[in-house]
Amino acid sequence: MSIFLVPMSVLTSLEAMRAKFFSGADVDERRMHWVRWDRVLASREEGGLGVGSLFSFNRAMMFRWWWRFYHSPNLSWARLVRSLYGPDGGCRSLPSRIVGTGPWIGVMRMFIQLRDRGFDIRSLCPIRVGDGSYTSFWHDVWMGEASLATTFHRVFALDTFRNATVKNRMDVGWETDTLRRSPRGGVEKEQWDEILSLIQDLQLQSIPDRLGWTIDVSDNFSVASARRFIDGSLLYAGCGETRWNSWVPNKLNVLLWRIR
């Protein structure tokens, strides 16, 4: 589960086994379930028991590979992924469907599955620019809410260094001779003046670029926090926060929760 994307059919079978175990039934035995299984999986804040789904567990561990891919670009497997799928590992512009198999194909397919369910987990990882050597100046979202190629599309069309990193683009400088031609006024001139004002105070640091993690105060990724986020986005018990008493046995807490 930490390397390959588990098919939904396998996850459904495993969840069925867990549900039967929770209700005290054998694998081949049929017994009434008091509560829907997705309510058991939901967090206590959402009214569940906080068991957590295998779907979120597998996807969170797959996401960890993308996190490592960004922070360890010189590892052999990361260089191999870039040689096969491009500088961003093929995860910046995802198609609607991916054909093929393999661990990294599973990572890309994981992003597509979560996107189809209504959220992009990559949006939780803003780029923290350090020396700017690993961040694409135009294509990555590192300043503002969108890529600079989208925000300043007229300047991007004129630039002759479209694939430069932040460091390389700042080293080149921002004279008009770095463009195919000088801005002719109107929107071009407005966007040129605006981008100059944005970057004139930009100071690169001596530390490498890194990703943030906005759902944790530590700003560092963890499988547990990613799993909670995915489950919180997909599971909802709908009966208020679960009350838990540490002075009584767990089985009594579960019994009272079931009755409620």
Side-chain angles (χ1 to χ4, degrees):
M1 292 185 78
S2 65
I3 301 177
F4 297 102
L5 193 69
V6 181
M8 291 301 300
S9 58
V10 176
L11 291 177
T12 300
S13 299
L14 293 175
E15 291 291 12
M17 294 179 188
R18 292 211 298 169
K20 288 186 177 182
F21 178 82
F22 180 76
S23 62
D26 290 331
V27 175
D28 299 326
E29 183 182 358
R30 296 178 64 87
R31 180 174 293 186
M32 181 181 296
H33 291 253
W34 288 20
V35 186
R36 287 204 324 264
W37 183 239
D38 58 347
R39 290 193 171 187
V40 178
L41 298 178
S43 66
R44 294 182 186 177
E45 291 76 17
E46 296 292 344
L49 287 182
V51 175
S53 68
L54 296 178
F55 174 87
S56 65
F57 185 46
N58 178 224
R59 272 57 184 175
M61 288 198 289
M62 295 296 291
F63 184 78
R64 182 172 57 182
W65 285 107
W66 184 75
W67 180 272
R68 289 175 174 174
F69 171 78
Y70 188 94
H71 287 94
S72 304
N74 295 321
L75 293 179
S76 298
W77 68 267
R79 295 200 302 269
L80 176 61
V81 168
R82 286 199 301 276
S83 67
L84 292 174
Y85 303 107
D88 64 339
C91 296
R92 181 181 293 123
S93 300
L94 293 168
S96 58
R97 183 172 177 269
I98 293 180
V99 179
T101 58
W104 196 256
I105 290 292
V107 173
M108 292 190 286
R109 188 170 286 123
M110 176 268 299
F111 283 126
I112 294 176
Q113 286 182 355
L114 296 181
R115 182 189 64 188
D116 293 342
R117 289 172 180 258
F119 61 94
D120 185 1
I121 195 172
R122 292 170 300 176
S123 63
L124 305 175
C125 303
I127 297 175
R128 316 294 192 197
V129 175
D131 58 12
S133 59
Y134 192 58
T135 302
S136 172
F137 180 86
W138 287 111
H139 300 289
D140 285 332
V141 180
W142 62 279
M143 181 182 291
E145 301 296 328
S147 67
L148 296 183
T150 301
T151 306
F152 303 100
H153 58 280
R154 299 295 291 271
V155 178
F156 173 71
L158 296 176
D159 195 14
T160 57
F161 299 92
R162 299 183 184 179
N163 295 319
T165 63
V166 174
K167 181 180 185 302
N168 292 339
R169 192 62 187 85
M170 298 300 292
D171 290 343
V172 168
W174 285 91
E175 302 298 330
T176 55
D177 57 5
T178 64
L179 307 179
R180 291 190 294 107
R181 57 171 174 79
S182 299
R184 292 177 177 172
V187 176
E188 284 185 1
K189 188 63 167 61
E190 290 177 3
Q191 290 192 2
W192 176 251
D193 292 339
E194 186 175 352
I195 197 171
L196 289 180
S197 65
L198 282 177
I199 66 174
Q200 65 180 356
D201 296 327
L202 177 63
Q203 296 292 330
L204 298 180
Q205 306 174 46
S206 59
I207 60 176
D209 299 344
R210 58 178 295 270
L211 296 177
W213 185 240
T214 59
I215 62 174
D216 196 295
V217 294
S218 68
D219 205 35
N220 288 315
F221 171 80
S222 68
V223 171
S225 60
R227 187 182 187 183
R228 287 194 300 269
F229 172 78
I230 296 173
D231 276 340
S233 302
L234 301 178
L235 302 174
Y236 175 61
C239 54
E241 185 175 356
T242 299
R243 299 180 61 184
W244 203 262
N245 191 332
S246 60
W247 292 88
V248 300
N250 284 341
K251 62 181 180 180
L252 181 56
N253 278 305
V254 173
L255 175 62
L256 294 175
W257 176 83
R258 280 177 162 179
I259 294 172
R260 182 189 177 206

